[in-house]
Amino acid sequence: MSPIKPEKRSLYPEMWDRISLLIRERAGWKCELCRAGNTEPHPITGSEVVLTVHHINGDPTDNRRLNLLALCQRCHNKLDQPFRHPRKPEGGLL
């Protein structure tokens, strides 16, 4: 499981480990996007798959089951990437 950054830990409930486990079990221990299996070699990268839990709406305090997906780190990073690195305006600086 991917560790939660210390500065964001307070946003997650005390039961987060249990919630995360239930979501990964619900997904059959496979990424819900690419179907890569937990602890198996990733079909694209070859690295060991570590399932994480993604908040669809980006809000770590919204832990409704319908807002949570089990994802491999590759798919999780692809979904989160646009929110981590702001794009530069075309032809200019930030």
Side-chain angles (χ1 to χ4, degrees):
M1 172 173 23
S2 184
I4 298 169
K5 293 180 181 176
E7 64 271 17
K8 293 192 175 191
R9 185 68 185 136
S10 65
L11 299 174
Y12 292 79
E14 286 184 30
M15 294 181 53
W16 176 249
D17 290 341
R18 178 76 178 134
I19 293 167
S20 175
L21 176 64
L22 290 171
I23 298 305
R24 291 177 286 140
E25 286 176 346
R26 176 188 76 183
W29 293 96
K30 292 188 181 289
C31 175
E32 294 186 78
L33 292 182
C34 74
R35 304 305 299 158
N38 192 53
T39 73
E40 297 174 8
H42 194 280
I44 295 172
T45 67
S47 61
E48 182 180 347
V49 172
V50 176
L51 282 185
T52 61
V53 176
H54 173 70
H55 290 83
I56 296 167
N57 68 5
D59 180 358
T61 66
D62 183 355
N63 295 296
R64 295 171 295 147
R65 285 183 182 215
L66 60 88
N67 187 46
L68 302 173
L69 288 174
L71 299 178
C72 69
Q73 289 176 308
R74 182 174 187 271
C75 288
H76 200 160
N77 284 332
K78 284 174 77 175
L79 290 179
D80 284 352
Q81 197 266 343
F83 304 103
R84 289 189 192 135
H85 307 289
R87 292 182 178 262
K88 293 179 184 175
E90 197 168 314
L93 300 173
L94 286 176

